[in-house]
Amino acid sequence: MQKRVLVWEAPVRLFHWVAVISMFSLAVTGYYIGFPFLTASGEASSSYLMGWMRAVHFVAAFVLGIACLIRLYWFFTGNEYARFRDWIPVGGVRRSLFWRQVKYYLFLTRKRPEVLGHNPVAGLSYLIVLLLILGQGLIGFALYAEAYQDGFWRSAFGWLLPLFGNQNLRLTHHLLMWVFAAFLIVHLYMSVLAEIEERNGTLTSMFGGYKTEEQPDAYRDLAYREAAAVGEKPED
């Protein structure tokens, strides 16, 4: 008998899709700003295509920044699947699951660890991506501040310009875009793989929030067995 479990709360799902839409908008408009691949007929001032691309780029960056702040807040107030420890492989149980997951990805074992929330490898990758997003935003705001000689933006982010140089920041900003694109491809592949092998509603859970498990409290039972195996006190 299967049990439906609310794994991804509404703020987590909202952050996920806002991040997807924002990052896609940022990638397309950012690529256009660097390499204008569309041309408008007539006077450039009448179409203002580059201006619109820059405007969408900036708005998407602000939206993504606000979404990241809400997600950081939810790390402390969300359910057990939304908190920091679901992203960081600390503690004997999570470390054990982490290495078992690594062995599975490296084809060293056929048994996929059963984890209802983020598996430890995926959780750690999401943490790294979140830090890269924050770094990308910092660089983006520094480039945005370049147009100002003083004021808030220049004071808050302009110090990066003399420290790293304009071209280095632009190159890093561009390269990180491709890192995010590569992550998206791997993320999609892993999600489909989990859906096929686990059959617990991995893909649909990102819309409705619910997954299914064969036995109630399967994850907690597994955690207790893992903790007992390494001689540690089980986490509540």
Side-chain angles (χ1 to χ4, degrees):
M1 181 178 180
Q2 292 189 331
K3 176 184 177 182
R4 294 179 76 236
V5 180
L6 177 60
V7 178
W8 315 125
E9 297 172 299
V12 174
R13 304 197 305 273
L14 181 62
F15 166 76
H16 177 267
W17 292 115
V18 168
V20 170
I21 296 172
S22 299
M23 293 178 73
F24 178 78
S25 302
L26 285 164
V28 173
T29 55
Y31 189 83
Y32 180 85
I33 293 170
F35 302 96
F37 51 86
L38 293 176
T39 56
S41 58
E43 291 293 332
S45 57
S46 62
S47 62
Y48 205 56
L49 184 56
M50 177 61 79
W52 278 112
M53 289 290 183
R54 289 172 61 84
V56 171
H57 195 76
F58 295 147
V59 170
F62 282 114
V63 170
L64 181 59
I66 294 172
C68 287
L69 292 177
I70 295 174
R71 185 65 180 93
L72 289 174
Y73 170 76
W74 211 250
F75 275 131
F76 300 97
T77 58
N79 65 13
E80 61 179 305
Y81 308 107
R83 298 198 172 224
F84 264 116
R85 70 178 185 178
D86 213 46
W87 284 29
I88 304 174
V90 295
V93 176
R94 294 293 290 180
R95 284 200 301 272
S96 175
L97 286 171
F98 177 85
W99 291 116
R100 288 171 55 191
Q101 192 74 40
V102 170
K103 289 180 180 179
Y104 170 78
Y105 284 146
L106 294 177
F107 305 104
L108 298 178
T109 178
R110 292 184 177 181
K111 183 173 176 56
R112 185 185 183 95
E114 298 178 4
V115 182
L116 198 57
H118 299 101
N119 77 62
V121 176
L124 183 61
S125 71
Y126 301 153
L127 177 62
I128 294 172
V129 168
L130 178 62
L131 294 176
L132 290 178
I133 289 174
L134 295 176
Q136 182 80 322
L138 194 64
I139 295 173
F141 284 130
L143 296 174
Y144 182 73
E146 195 173 22
Y148 302 94
Q149 294 301 317
D150 50 28
F152 170 77
W153 294 107
R154 192 73 180 190
S155 301
F157 304 102
W159 53 273
L160 284 168
L161 294 167
L163 186 61
F164 296 103
N166 173 281
Q167 290 305 312
N168 289 330
L169 290 177
R170 289 185 182 278
L171 178 61
T172 304
H173 203 61
H174 184 80
L175 291 177
L176 281 176
M177 179 198 71
W178 290 110
V179 171
F180 294 135
F183 169 79
L184 173 63
I185 295 173
V186 175
H187 179 59
L188 286 174
Y189 170 76
M190 292 297 183
S191 299
V192 173
L193 180 65
E195 174 69 29
I196 294 173
E197 294 194 335
E198 297 181 0
R199 299 183 182 278
N200 61 359
T202 297
L203 294 180
T204 57
S205 69
M206 289 317 303
F207 297 94
Y210 284 88
K211 284 187 175 181
T212 59
E213 62 178 358
E214 289 293 338
Q215 298 177 352
D217 300 326
Y219 174 74
R220 179 163 299 180
D221 292 342
L222 176 62
Y224 270 73
R225 291 197 300 273
E226 292 287 348
V230 297
E232 291 190 5
K233 182 180 179 181
E235 297 179 5
D236 293 329

